[in-house]
Amino acid sequence: SVPRCYLNKQLATMRVLKGDPAELSCTVSRDNVTGTWFKDGLKLTSMEGVVFEKRGLVHKLIINKAEDIHAGKYRFEGGDVKTEASIFVEDPPQVDKVLLKNLTNVPTVAKAGEAVKLQIPFGGRWPIRAAWLKDRMELGDDTRIRVDKTDTSTTLSISSCDRRDCGDYKVRLKNDSGVLEINLKLLVIDKPQPPAGPIKIVESSANNITIQWKPPKDDGGKPVQRYLVERQQAGRNDWETLGETPRSCTSFTMSSVEEEMSYYFRVRAVNAEGASDALESGEVKAAGKASPGAPDPPEIISASRDTITISWKAPRKTGASQITGYVVQKRKKGTVTWLPVTKAPVKDKKLKVTGLKKGVQYEFRVAAVNAAGTGQPSEPSVPTSAQDPTKSPGQVQDLKVSSSDSTSVTLTWNRPEVQNGNDVKGYEVEMKTCNSLSWSRCFTLPAHSTSCRVQGLQPGEKLLLRVRALSDTGPGEATELEASAAAAPLVSPRLLIDDTVKSFLVIKAGDPIRVKIPFEGSPEPAVTWLKDGLPLPSRAAVSTEDGSTQLLLRAAEFSDSGTYSVELGDGLGKRETFSFQVQITDIPQPPGAIRLEENVPNTVTVTWDPSASEQWEKNLYYTVLKRESQKGLWHVLGDLIYNNKFTFTRVVPGRDYYFRVVAKNDLGASDPSETVQPWRIWKKKAEFRVKAQKYRGVNQNQPPRFLVPLKSHVVVTGSECHMSCAVGGHPAPKITWYKDSRDLSRDPNYFCTNDFGVCSLVVLGVTKQDEGEYMVEARNDVGRAFSKAFLAIKGN
């Protein structure tokens, strides 16, 4: 009988990417077996892109380039042998590699208000689902944003972009064969936000006023170049420009003040896109020459259920005469009205305030008094409750290590079992190494947190940890625990590049170049620094410790410009490199001599010799300023001028002009180049005649208007609310208050006053029913005016 044929190796199911080669093979026990191939039950004699091959005992079906037609179930039969398997052709979403690189490496930049359209063509097996995400949230259509999709592309359209559209976007393409995610970055450029407030009064004396502000929280995507400062005298409507400060200076001193005169100030931030909205100050009053300054905030010495004892120090500025006493005021936390504590000034610098309500938080402030009157009040004290002192809380329970790794330990605990009648306000976590004698504070946590993670440890490091509960009376007894970090695992060398490490640095000549780059790797990798592919100059110092490497050149020179790179190596062939550019620059040299010409009647063309810095500074530009008297303020005529010429067209004949040109770059402004002699266009004297006007009298009637509108308030239940506004008009307007359109004139729960146009509404004991919209109406024979505000109530 003929020996039976059997399989030594059968077919195996496989998955293959579209366009890749594929191969099915099986091995039989006899060489004389010819064999037949089937696909989806049909016999295969020939097929496009498919080759049949037999080598001895091995039978193969070879696909040179897999396409969708090649997917299916294949079977091989030969003699007594039969085996089958399937081929699945995968075709995941794909995007052109060049386009993908451009999208991920280069951010899309747009100006605020412009339309943005991001289109991504793709390929792959249909259907493909496309989704756009920002901050892990999928984007949908709204009034500004629209997401469109066709069979071959997806598009994100923003009709009018603004700064909130900045950020990292992700496009997720998905089908049955796989998922492709593309990361994009959108940068929207706009004028900056207003400077961060409030405007602080650093000094207010009879001679000058110094104000201070903070840089804007959002610079609009371009650096702030300068700040514009203006003032308004109380009682006037016009604003006067005081001057400007460079971006590095956030304070301004005004020396031309009148004693005891009140002013308002406003500040705008300016970048290359324009000026921000203004940050305005409250009323600032120039001090009298003899009035004392403000003391430091009072300190709380002790408290009981109805008394609080405070103390304070004399002010640093006592005025021109000796201090005779102090005015002490109090208010409940959350209210705006300060009430006197005593009828007469207090001579001592310590006072026991009695008659307080138990459990209510109070704030106190103090003002010094001398022969000239009462000085500026201090800042409020720390809010303090009138209540008897209580015992400290007990120990925390079940302190343990819940998890740890090579650099951190996570602790958990339970609240104290017995709290001695004192509520836990939080927890304090401290640590020390086994060799240390002193404890260092790690965290101060709120009462609801009963766990924390201590980070920054060395692998295998042992330490002592302790936790204590905190209350109003202080910390409780500590609970201690010994812990240790886990041993360090093997980690491939990797540079930890984040937003703090810039790929392009602009450094002022003479300033230090300091670049610190964190990295990870275990064991610690070897670090190599290069400049333009060569070893660093001898002036450069490199230090590597605690998972970071630092490059330092103490005084930058122009020859230090170039490409710097840092390389990590583990000694086994694995390397990682990061490169960045350094451009050395400096504050520009001043422009050359200024020349003035009247090429067109009633205009002046200002030309100047270029700054010597133009030969090495690519981003240099000029600012032209003018003033109309020898001691007047300078005003900007033109900014961001990239040539050496500017024409001023609003010249008034017969008026003297002085001009100034300043060179600027990203680091600041040069010394100015100025004209010495005044520029004047002589005007021809014209004859004129004066025709006497018939006196018609003055109509003094004015409709009502709100000089200071109402402001919304948020107060605590049971406290006092004080609303006020200022009204002008002639004849004096009649004032009517409304709540939710209801007249409050005869309601005994509300107290209304009108003192020479300053109108007030006082709610003595606020309840939830007092919440709502309040409106004040001003009416006279000429017209009416309204002002509205909302009162919100917050529970204790």
Side-chain angles (χ1 to χ4, degrees):
S1 62
V2 179
R4 184 181 180 90
C5 180
Y6 57 89
L7 279 170
N8 291 327
K9 178 183 176 183
Q10 62 182 1
L11 298 180
T13 295
M14 64 184 305
R15 296 179 179 272
V16 60
L17 287 175
K18 188 175 181 178
D20 286 355
E23 180 181 291
L24 290 175
S25 67
C26 63
T27 305
V28 299
S29 62
R30 293 174 54 192
D31 185 48
N32 60 350
V33 175
T34 56
T36 305
W37 289 91
F38 297 83
K39 179 180 182 293
D40 297 329
L42 299 177
K43 182 178 179 180
L44 284 177
T45 56
S46 64
M47 186 177 182
E48 183 178 354
V50 177
V51 177
F52 306 104
E53 185 178 283
K54 177 181 181 299
R55 290 187 178 180
L57 302 178
V58 180
H59 297 259
K60 292 184 178 181
L61 183 146
I62 302 173
I63 302 174
N64 295 324
K65 186 177 180 182
E67 301 291 344
D68 290 337
I69 60 171
H70 297 134
K73 182 179 289 186
Y74 290 82
R75 187 172 78 249
F76 174 80
E77 293 182 0
D80 301 326
V81 172
K82 182 185 295 185
T83 179
E84 63 180 26
S86 296
I87 292 180
F88 298 93
V89 178
E90 305 287 2
D91 189 10
Q94 300 174 18
V95 174
D96 180 76
K97 292 183 179 180
V98 176
L99 174 62
L100 187 62
K101 182 178 180 181
N102 292 335
L103 288 173
T104 55
N105 293 341
V106 181
T108 300
V109 181
K111 290 189 176 182
E114 291 182 348
V116 174
K117 187 174 183 180
L118 299 174
Q119 185 176 29
I120 298 181
F122 54 77
R125 179 172 293 123
W126 191 87
I128 295 178
R129 182 182 182 274
W132 290 77
L133 298 91
K134 183 176 185 290
D135 300 330
R136 300 184 180 179
M137 299 293 292
E138 184 170 349
L139 298 176
D141 293 347
D142 60 19
T143 55
R144 296 187 312 111
I145 299 176
R146 179 180 176 86
V147 176
D148 296 305
K149 177 185 172 295
T150 65
D151 291 344
T152 59
S153 68
T154 179
T155 305
L156 174 67
S157 303
I158 304 176
S159 59
S160 179
C161 62
D162 54 35
R163 288 287 291 167
R164 60 183 168 173
D165 296 318
C166 287
D168 295 323
Y169 290 76
K170 179 178 289 186
V171 183
R172 181 176 295 152
L173 304 174
K174 182 178 182 180
N175 65 4
D176 293 339
S177 298
V179 178
L180 175 64
E181 291 187 342
I182 306 170
N183 295 313
L184 306 90
K185 184 181 289 291
L186 175 61
L187 179 61
V188 180
I189 305 300
D190 196 1
K191 63 182 182 181
Q193 288 185 352
I199 292 178
K200 292 184 178 181
I201 308 304
V202 179
E203 181 181 357
S204 178
S205 65
N207 299 320
N208 55 61
I209 296 175
T210 301
I211 63 173
Q212 189 179 66
W213 60 92
K214 295 180 181 179
K217 295 181 179 179
D218 184 359
D219 62 4
K222 288 194 173 182
V224 173
Q225 297 173 344
R226 62 186 184 278
Y227 296 95
L228 301 179
V229 183
E230 300 172 285
R231 79 170 180 185
Q232 181 189 63
Q233 187 172 316
R236 297 184 179 179
N237 295 325
D238 57 321
W239 288 87
E240 175 188 359
T241 300
L242 295 178
E244 62 181 49
T245 69
R247 64 181 180 183
S248 59
C249 180
T250 55
S251 64
F252 187 89
T253 299
M254 179 186 69
S255 57
S256 57
V257 300
E258 298 181 27
E259 184 180 349
E260 297 188 350
M261 176 62 71
S262 294
Y263 300 92
Y264 297 90
F265 295 90
R266 68 185 184 189
V267 183
R268 302 176 190 270
V270 181
N271 66 4
E273 297 300 312
S276 71
D277 295 333
L279 168 67
E280 295 191 13
S281 71
E283 182 178 347
V284 181
K285 187 175 182 180
K289 293 183 178 179
S291 58
D296 291 334
E299 296 182 357
I300 307 300
I301 297 178
S302 62
S304 65
R305 68 177 60 193
D306 60 353
T307 64
I308 295 176
T309 302
I310 62 174
S311 67
W312 59 91
K313 297 179 181 179
R316 298 178 182 85
K317 297 182 179 180
T318 60
S321 59
Q322 185 178 3
I323 293 178
T324 58
Y326 296 90
V327 174
V328 183
Q329 296 176 312
K330 69 178 180 180
R331 71 178 179 187
K332 296 178 182 178
K333 183 183 177 182
T335 63
V336 297
T337 303
W338 289 94
L339 300 175
V341 174
T342 59
K343 294 182 179 179
V346 180
K347 296 185 180 298
D348 197 2
K349 292 190 285 295
K350 180 178 180 182
L351 180 65
K352 185 176 183 180
V353 184
T354 60
L356 304 177
K357 292 184 180 180
K358 181 180 179 181
V360 176
Q361 286 191 312
Y362 291 90
E363 295 175 315
F364 302 91
R365 70 179 185 182
V366 180
V369 180
N370 65 4
T374 304
Q376 294 290 326
S378 69
E379 293 293 322
S381 67
V382 175
T384 305
S385 300
Q387 61 184 14
D388 291 329
T390 56
K391 298 180 180 179
S392 60
Q395 286 184 290
V396 300
Q397 302 294 311
D398 301 327
L399 177 63
K400 61 184 178 181
V401 175
S402 62
S403 64
S404 65
D405 55 31
S406 60
T407 61
S408 68
V409 171
T410 300
L411 298 179
T412 60
W413 61 88
N414 294 327
R415 295 171 61 87
E417 291 182 354
V418 180
Q419 299 178 20
N420 298 325
N422 192 9
D423 290 337
V424 173
K425 301 298 184 182
Y427 298 95
E428 183 178 75
V429 182
E430 297 176 297
M431 66 169 285
K432 72 172 183 177
T433 60
C434 295
N435 299 326
S436 176
L437 299 178
S438 60
W439 293 87
S440 60
R441 182 181 299 174
C442 300
F443 306 100
T444 300
L445 305 172
H448 61 80
S449 296
T450 56
S451 67
C452 70
R453 185 184 181 193
V454 181
Q455 297 178 288
L457 307 180
Q458 296 296 324
E461 180 182 10
K462 292 184 178 181
L463 66 155
L464 292 176
L465 298 163
R466 70 182 184 186
V467 180
R468 65 178 80 202
L470 304 176
S471 69
D472 290 335
T473 59
E477 185 178 353
T479 301
E480 294 187 10
L481 177 71
E482 182 176 340
S484 62
L490 292 176
V491 178
S492 298
R494 185 165 71 94
L495 293 165
L496 305 178
I497 307 300
D498 55 18
D499 293 340
T500 62
V501 182
K502 307 298 183 183
S503 60
F504 185 80
L505 299 178
V506 178
I507 305 295
K508 181 181 177 182
D511 285 356
I513 302 176
R514 181 180 286 106
V515 179
K516 188 174 184 179
I517 300 179
F519 63 85
E520 66 179 10
S522 182
E524 185 168 313
V527 180
T528 304
W529 285 86
L530 300 172
K531 177 183 181 292
D532 297 328
L534 300 174
L536 295 176
S538 58
R539 298 184 301 105
V542 174
S543 59
T544 301
E545 58 182 3
D546 298 331
S548 66
T549 180
Q550 177 176 276
L551 168 67
L552 175 63
L553 287 94
R554 299 190 179 277
E557 301 176 357
F558 289 108
S559 61
D560 293 326
S561 297
T563 302
Y564 291 78
S565 60
V566 58
E567 182 182 88
L568 296 183
D570 62 355
L572 300 177
K574 292 185 178 180
R575 296 182 178 275
E576 183 167 355
T577 304
F578 172 73
S579 300
F580 59 92
Q581 296 283 334
V582 174
Q583 174 66 51
I584 308 302
T585 183
D586 200 353
I587 295 176
Q589 297 294 320
I594 298 177
R595 295 174 293 278
L596 305 174
E597 298 177 358
E598 186 185 4
N599 298 324
V600 178
N602 293 339
T603 67
V604 58
T605 298
V606 185
T607 58
W608 58 91
D609 294 330
S611 166
S613 302
E614 279 195 15
Q615 58 185 342
W616 51 263
E617 177 56 68
K618 297 179 181 179
N619 298 323
L620 184 140
Y621 61 93
Y622 297 94
T623 299
V624 179
L625 306 94
K626 63 95 177 173
R627 66 182 181 189
E628 298 178 8
S629 66
Q630 195 166 7
K631 296 183 179 180
L633 294 175
W634 289 100
H635 297 275
V636 176
L637 290 181
D639 197 9
L640 298 174
I641 301 171
Y642 289 92
N643 54 32
N644 307 119
K645 182 178 180 181
F646 179 81
T647 300
F648 177 44
T649 59
R650 299 190 300 275
V651 177
V652 179
R655 185 175 297 177
D656 288 343
Y657 291 92
Y658 295 82
F659 293 92
R660 166 185 285 182
V661 181
V662 178
K664 295 182 178 180
N665 62 8
D666 292 336
L667 292 183
S670 70
D671 293 333
S673 178
E674 300 180 3
T675 56
V676 179
Q677 299 296 328
W679 169 271
R680 172 183 291 184
I681 298 177
W682 296 100
K683 63 180 180 179
K684 298 179 180 179
K685 293 185 178 180
E687 295 183 0
F688 64 94
R689 298 178 181 179
V690 178
K691 183 178 181 181
Q693 299 287 334
K694 184 179 180 181
Y695 181 72
R696 299 181 180 178
V698 178
N699 183 7
Q700 297 183 347
N701 290 343
Q702 294 182 347
R705 68 186 187 283
F706 282 89
L707 306 177
V708 179
L710 287 178
K711 294 183 178 179
S712 296
H713 294 261
V714 178
V715 299
V716 178
T717 304
S719 62
E720 175 186 294
C721 179
H722 188 115
M723 294 187 178
S724 63
C725 62
V727 183
H730 187 83
K734 178 184 176 182
I735 304 301
T736 308
W737 290 83
Y738 298 89
K739 177 186 180 294
D740 298 330
S741 302
R742 177 171 61 87
D743 192 343
L744 303 179
S745 301
R746 298 185 179 182
D747 193 326
N749 295 320
Y750 302 91
F751 180 62
C752 308
T753 61
N754 184 357
D755 297 328
F756 304 103
V758 179
C759 307
S760 301
L761 174 70
V762 180
V763 187
L764 297 176
V766 174
T767 64
K768 193 64 178 178
Q769 288 73 25
D770 294 319
E771 187 173 62
E773 184 180 69
Y774 288 76
M775 180 179 73
V776 59
E777 176 192 28
R779 179 199 300 266
N780 64 8
D781 295 337
V782 187
R784 294 191 303 168
F786 301 90
S787 182
K788 297 180 180 180
F790 193 83
L791 173 60
I793 309 301
K794 182 171 65 174
N796 285 319

